[in-house]
Amino acid sequence: GKRTTLPPFRDSKLTYILKESLSGNSKTIMMAAISPSLEDYEETMSTLRFATTLKKVQLSVVANEQNMIELKAQQDAARAKVAAHTSLLKAVKSKDVQELKAAIENATRE
């Protein structure tokens, strides 16, 4: 069949605004607001043509592993801090001076 070329993003204000969503690494949903009124016929048809054009866009979503690795490292660091503070709180509650000193020393090393 005959293939038509789609206009580049810079040729359409709306597609330029939606550029990151339409070509980025994300799932995109197109919702078109249309009207049954004859007064809005041209705008409705334009919206439907735009939505039809967007249906033809093929996106492939790929997990951004670099961000996942960074987030995992941040999560591990946060868990270590929570564990250190938890042991500090336990020491404070038990009022054991030696345990409190050890917990403070461990917290300051991290």
Side-chain angles (χ1 to χ4, degrees), residues 7-8 12-13 21 23-24 29 50 53 55 61 78 100-101:
S12 168
K13 290 178 185 177
S21 295
S23 65
I29 297 173
F50 179 73
T53 301
K55 276 179 57 176
V61 178
L100 181 58
K101 284 181 182 178

Side-chain angles (χ1 to χ4, degrees), residues 26-37:
S26 62
K27 285 189 174 184
T28 304
I29 297 173
M30 173 62 186
M31 293 177 50
I34 59 174
S35 170
S37 172

Side-chain angles (χ1 to χ4, degrees), residues 70-87:
E70 289 174 14
L71 288 174
K72 178 72 173 141
Q74 289 175 0
Q75 184 181 35
D76 291 343
R79 284 186 176 151
K81 284 183 179 181
V82 167
H85 290 295
T86 301
S87 66

Side-chain angles (χ1 to χ4, degrees), residues 15-49:
T15 53
Y16 182 77
I17 291 170
L18 296 172
K19 181 178 179 179
E20 293 300 317
S21 295
L22 298 176
S23 65
N25 191 12
S26 62
K27 285 189 174 184
T28 304
I29 297 173
M30 173 62 186
M31 293 177 50
I34 59 174
S35 170
S37 172
L38 284 177
E39 292 175 4
D40 299 323
Y41 176 80
E42 287 300 321
E43 188 172 343
T44 294
M45 292 307 295
S46 175
T47 301
L48 290 173
R49 280 191 294 275

